Amino acid sequence: IVARTHAHAHAHVVVDMSAPAMILRTASRMAARATMKTTTQRAPLRSAHQYRQISRTRVVSAAAYTNARTGDFPSLEFRVFFQDESGAKVSPWHDVPLKNADGSVNFICEIPKETKAKMEVATDEKLTPIKQDTKKGKLRDYPYNINWNYGMLPQTWEDPKHEHPTMKVSGDNDPVDVVEIGSAALAMGSVTPVKPVGVYAMIDDGELDWKVIAISTSDPKAKDINDVADVEKHFPGELEKIRVWFRDYKTPDGKPQNKFGLDDKCMDKAYTMGVIEETHEFYNALKSGKRANDEELSLE
């Protein structure tokens, strides 16, 4: 399959005005070295998740995205909308680019580390703002704090009609989730360039729910973290903590443990990038209309 990944005219570095100063400094540095270049590369095939030959024209430019919040937090009415430089509202799922020129990807933080409100991009609402998940009309919280920044990759989608060839489970109808393991707590609604280095294949209620492990490019340890083995070296035991947290977080409510495919392993960076490429293609098919929007998702 040849990737249909289209270059964006501007691969923006996105920041939230309430985000830590570290993120703002990152945006300034990247703006200073904005460049354009075209690259073509071919990576080896990797199981069902294949790298394809990809040609990209990449531009990095400074574009500050801010948040507009409506409603009280926490409440059923609370929303975090995203705005571009002109103040126009944009979608974090559709309008924030997936990839940056340096090989990093953009991470949208829905849940800051050491908090427990179960926030998520509302894929069924216009402009897909962040809201708090609900169950039976009540706001949902995790039973305890999540110990990492948690969120999603823009312009990805786990297609519920695509069955994984070996695990025999299909996507969960959501963007790809990210667990960011850096030291800083990121603001809800912030967008941060991260290095993806691993991925768990979590199976939640029979659906495939990828969990990408990543680290902010501005984290002090980012230079040392380039693949999944580096995580174990510099964050010993962290991968198992992540797996156990996601395995068990539903059990206080009397539900069974979540399961993991691929022998419970956190797969390496090559596999991870294959997952990202594949789910980006699923997203492109959905957004273009090639794949019918049977799930009635908001594509605005």
Side-chain angles (χ1 to χ4, degrees), residues 33-52:
R33 60 174 184 265
T35 58
M36 178 184 291
K37 61 182 180 179
T38 302
T39 62
T40 302
Q41 60 186 18
R42 183 184 295 277
L45 298 182
R46 183 76 180 184
S47 183
H49 305 289
Q50 302 176 355
Y51 284 124
R52 269 71 54 175

Side-chain angles (χ1 to χ4, degrees), residues 73-79 110-111 115-120 130-146 150 172 174 177 188 202 204-205 207 209 211 245-246 248-256 258:
F73 178 75
S75 73
L76 293 172
E77 294 74 32
F78 179 75
R79 298 290 186 276
E110 298 164 317
I111 307 175
T115 64
K116 65 177 185 177
K118 195 174 187 302
M119 311 302 295
E120 62 183 17
I130 293 175
K131 69 173 185 178
Q132 190 164 356
D133 191 19
T134 60
K135 185 176 182 180
K136 297 181 179 179
K138 295 184 178 181
L139 298 173
R140 289 188 67 189
D141 288 328
Y142 288 121
Y144 33 70
N145 286 356
I146 188 166
Y150 188 60
D172 70 349
D174 282 325
D177 294 328
M188 183 192 305
M202 193 176 94
D204 183 358
D205 290 332
E207 296 177 329
D209 187 5
K211 304 295 182 188
W245 196 97
F246 282 98
D248 293 345
Y249 79 87
K250 291 184 177 181
T251 59
D253 294 329
K255 294 183 178 180
N258 287 319

Side-chain angles (χ1 to χ4, degrees), residues 18-273:
S18 63
M22 173 182 64
I23 300 174
L24 300 179
R25 289 197 299 269
T26 300
S28 297
R29 288 196 300 269
M30 295 189 74
R33 60 174 184 265
T35 58
M36 178 184 291
K37 61 182 180 179
T38 302
T39 62
T40 302
Q41 60 186 18
R42 183 184 295 277
L45 298 182
R46 183 76 180 184
S47 183
H49 305 289
Q50 302 176 355
Y51 284 124
R52 269 71 54 175
Q53 180 170 310
I54 303 166
S55 296
R56 304 185 186 97
T57 299
R58 295 166 169 175
V59 178
V60 177
S61 63
Y65 281 57
T66 58
N67 294 146
R69 300 189 175 200
T70 61
D72 295 326
F73 178 75
S75 73
L76 293 172
E77 294 74 32
F78 179 75
R79 298 290 186 276
V80 179
F81 288 93
F82 287 65
Q83 297 174 316
D84 65 15
E85 287 179 299
S86 71
K89 288 182 178 179
V90 295
S91 163
W93 188 21
H94 304 307
D95 298 319
V96 175
L98 171 61
K99 300 170 186 177
N100 298 312
D102 60 359
S104 65
V105 296
N106 285 319
F107 162 63
I108 296 174
C109 184
E110 298 164 317
I111 307 175
K113 67 188 300 182
E114 302 306 335
T115 64
K116 65 177 185 177
K118 195 174 187 302
M119 311 302 295
E120 62 183 17
V121 166
T123 56
D124 60 348
E125 294 186 12
K126 185 177 180 180
L127 294 174
T128 64
I130 293 175
K131 69 173 185 178
Q132 190 164 356
D133 191 19
T134 60
K135 185 176 182 180
K136 297 181 179 179
K138 295 184 178 181
L139 298 173
R140 289 188 67 189
D141 288 328
Y142 288 121
Y144 33 70
N145 286 356
I146 188 166
N147 308 128
W148 311 273
N149 296 300
Y150 188 60
M152 51 83 83
L153 293 178
Q155 299 186 22
T156 62
W157 182 55
E158 299 182 49
D159 188 346
K161 289 186 177 180
H162 176 79
E163 183 180 81
H164 189 276
T166 60
M167 290 184 283
K168 302 302 180 183
V169 288
S170 300
D172 70 349
N173 194 36
D174 282 325
V176 172
D177 294 328
V178 176
V179 181
E180 194 280 320
I181 62 174
S183 58
L186 302 176
M188 183 192 305
S190 61
V191 182
T192 303
V194 298
K195 296 168 68 173
V197 293
V199 66
Y200 277 116
M202 193 176 94
I203 300 172
D204 183 358
D205 290 332
E207 296 177 329
L208 181 57
D209 187 5
W210 295 110
K211 304 295 182 188
V212 167
I213 311 302
I215 187 167
S216 168
T217 58
S218 61
D219 190 86
K221 291 188 177 182
K223 66 183 185 303
D224 300 318
I225 308 299
N226 298 296
D227 212 326
V228 69
D230 299 324
V231 178
E232 191 57 37
K233 179 179 178 181
H234 295 279
F235 295 86
E238 202 73 8
L239 293 173
E240 181 63 6
K241 289 178 186 177
I242 293 170
R243 190 185 71 84
V244 169
W245 196 97
F246 282 98
R247 182 193 68 189
D248 293 345
Y249 79 87
K250 291 184 177 181
T251 59
D253 294 329
K255 294 183 178 180
Q257 293 177 329
N258 287 319
K259 299 183 183 301
F260 290 84
L262 306 175
D263 298 322
D264 289 357
K265 292 179 181 177
C266 187
M267 307 303 286
D268 64 12
K269 181 173 183 174
Y271 194 97
T272 302
M273 297 308 294

